[in-house]
């Protein structure tokens, strides 16, 4: 009997109010990244099923490290926190570039076969299926038609924009190394499509636009997945069939200081139909 491939969960992290997105003014509202991470990793350990005990790596590649309290919480959750400064991060135009960067680093350092990358504001509500984790070279989220109306505009003939909140990759393919090299190339050269997007949205979508571009190059075998999460700005529960709702794996919600997010109605409707509590 062949041995099942091994998996690791990876995520980029910075301090709550001291981070690249705040430095570059890419976001207008501060986020409590550390609180999001504790909520995220707690849910993974609780609801991950066959994946709940895999190694979790939270990586800070900047000088914007997390608090000692959060480090203790990570230790209690069995999360391996890596704080290692890389000067390249000083040039990043948004904090989302930390994700492909730490992906490149962890591809080289880890030995697990499959890397699962999620955003810190994602809360697992049910285990990921084996087929999603093992049956594809690369899995990447994709906005459905409802969400696409609020996203960046892409050239005619391109599919819906990709959503890098969830990425599952076979480590030995070296995809993140290619991904980050594409980041460096885009920053140093001119891209007409990106310039058009940036003129409207600023630097916010740089990372995801590059995934769009890579996807449509057909160089990599990327499997897009839609409607895998609920929450802020995502398709409402009422628009999902029972079959689609059963394939939702994450609740996606920011934690913002001093602001109560109006997602209570979505939580109640989700619970009423699934009997699973997202938070």
């Amino acid at each position: 009997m062949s041995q099942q491939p091994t998996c690791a969960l990876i995520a980029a992290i910075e301090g709550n109010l001291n981070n690249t997105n705040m430095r570059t003014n890419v976001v207008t509202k501060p986020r409590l990244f550390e609180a999001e991470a504790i909520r995220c990793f707690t849910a993974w350990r609780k609801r991950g099923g066959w994946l709940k005990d895999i190694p979790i790596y939270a990586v800070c590649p900047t000088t914007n490290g997390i608090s000692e309290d959060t480090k203790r919480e990570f230790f209690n959750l069995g999360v391996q926190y890596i704080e290692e400064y890389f000067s390249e991060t000083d040039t990043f135009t948004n904090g989302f570039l930390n994700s492909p960067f730490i992906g490149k680093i962890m591809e080289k350092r880890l030995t697990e076969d499959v890397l699962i990358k999620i955003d810190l504001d994602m809360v697992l509500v049910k285990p990921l299926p084996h087929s999603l984790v093992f049956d594809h070279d690369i899995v990447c989220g994709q906005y459905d038609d409802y969400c696409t109306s609020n996203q960046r505009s892409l050239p005619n003939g391109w599919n819906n924009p990709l959503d890098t909140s969830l990425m599952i990759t076979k480590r030995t393919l070296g995809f993140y190394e290619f991904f980050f090299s594409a980041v460096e190339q885009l920053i140093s050269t001119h891209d007409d499509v990106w310039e058009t997007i940036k003129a409207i949205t600023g630097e916010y979508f740089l990372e995801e636009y590059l995934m769009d571009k890579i996807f449509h190059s057909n160089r990599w075998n990327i499997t897009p997945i839609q409607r895998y999460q609920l929450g802020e700005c995502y398709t409402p529960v009422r628009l999902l069939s029972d079959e689609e709702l059963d394939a939702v794996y994450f609740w996606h919600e920011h934690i913002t200081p001093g602001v109560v997010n109006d997602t209570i109605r979505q939580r109640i409707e989700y619970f009423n139909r699934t009997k699973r509590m997202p938070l």
Side-chain angles (χ1 to χ4, degrees):
M1 180 181 295
S2 60
Q3 187 176 5
Q4 179 172 279
T6 55
C7 303
L9 181 69
I10 63 173
I13 188 170
E14 293 187 88
N16 277 338
L17 302 178
N18 179 33
N19 55 68
T20 305
N21 276 342
M22 296 296 291
R23 171 178 64 80
T24 58
N25 294 315
V26 164
V27 296
T28 57
K29 295 181 179 179
R31 293 252 307 276
L32 299 182
F33 291 135
E34 297 176 46
E36 290 178 357
I38 292 168
R39 182 186 61 179
C40 171
F41 298 144
T42 298
W44 189 276
R45 291 299 192 212
K46 180 180 179 181
R47 304 190 186 108
W50 64 285
L51 290 169
K52 71 180 181 67
D53 294 321
I54 65 172
I56 299 177
Y57 300 91
V59 185
C60 175
T62 72
T63 58
N64 307 319
I66 63 176
S67 69
E68 293 300 319
D69 286 344
T70 299
K71 290 177 185 178
R72 283 190 287 270
E73 292 285 351
F74 282 4
F75 178 82
N76 292 334
L77 290 167
V79 174
Q80 299 184 54
Y81 173 62
I82 300 172
E83 184 174 319
E84 184 176 349
Y85 167 64
F86 293 86
S87 59
E88 298 98 307
T89 60
D90 291 338
T91 67
F92 288 178
T93 54
N94 68 56
F96 307 121
L97 298 182
N98 286 332
S99 287
F101 183 75
I102 68 107
K104 180 186 77 164
I105 300 300
M106 301 310 277
E107 273 179 345
K108 296 177 180 178
R109 294 188 180 181
L110 299 182
T111 59
E112 285 82 8
D113 302 301
V114 177
L115 301 183
I116 304 169
K117 195 288 295 182
I118 60 176
D119 287 353
L120 297 176
D121 51 3
M122 294 167 65
V123 180
L124 191 71
V125 297
K126 61 182 291 188
L128 301 179
H130 286 75
S131 58
L132 182 64
V133 175
F134 293 142
D135 290 359
H136 312 279
D137 286 346
I138 301 164
V139 173
C140 184
Q142 184 180 44
Y143 298 104
D144 65 1
D145 290 343
Y146 178 93
C147 297
T148 294
S149 61
N150 296 318
Q151 292 299 318
R152 57 203 176 275
S153 297
L154 296 176
N156 291 334
W158 286 28
N159 296 324
N160 288 11
L162 292 187
D163 159 26
T164 58
S165 299
L166 171 67
M167 293 183 63
I168 304 173
T169 60
K170 287 185 169 65
R171 183 185 59 82
T172 56
L173 291 176
F175 176 74
Y176 279 108
E177 183 170 12
F178 177 85
F179 188 3
F180 189 72
S181 70
V183 170
E184 294 177 307
Q185 182 178 2
L186 183 66
I187 291 174
S188 62
T189 59
H190 183 84
D191 182 299
D192 288 338
V193 176
W194 169 240
E195 292 299 325
T196 300
I197 295 171
K198 186 170 70 170
I200 300 171
T201 64
E203 297 281 346
Y204 191 89
F205 288 117
L206 189 152
E207 173 220 11
E208 288 192 330
Y209 164 68
L210 278 169
M211 276 302 297
D212 295 327
K213 189 173 182 179
I214 293 170
F215 179 57
H216 289 93
S217 74
N218 295 316
R219 176 171 176 173
W220 297 84
N221 185 20
I222 300 174
T223 302
I225 176 175
Q226 298 184 5
R227 297 191 169 189
Y228 65 92
Q229 59 181 338
L230 296 170
E232 294 175 336
C233 303
Y234 290 96
T235 306
V237 174
R238 60 182 172 79
L239 297 182
L240 272 60
S241 67
D242 289 343
E243 182 179 7
E244 289 173 324
L245 199 61
D246 193 50
V248 168
Y249 304 107
F250 295 96
W251 183 270
H252 197 139
E253 183 177 349
H254 298 166
I255 299 180
T256 306
V259 176
V260 177
N261 295 306
D262 185 21
T263 55
I264 294 176
R265 184 177 302 145
Q266 290 298 304
R267 295 185 203 176
I268 292 173
E269 189 170 350
Y270 176 76
F271 175 77
N272 285 340
R273 289 179 57 184
T274 67
K275 298 302 181 284
R276 288 190 291 268
M277 183 58 69
L279 298 175

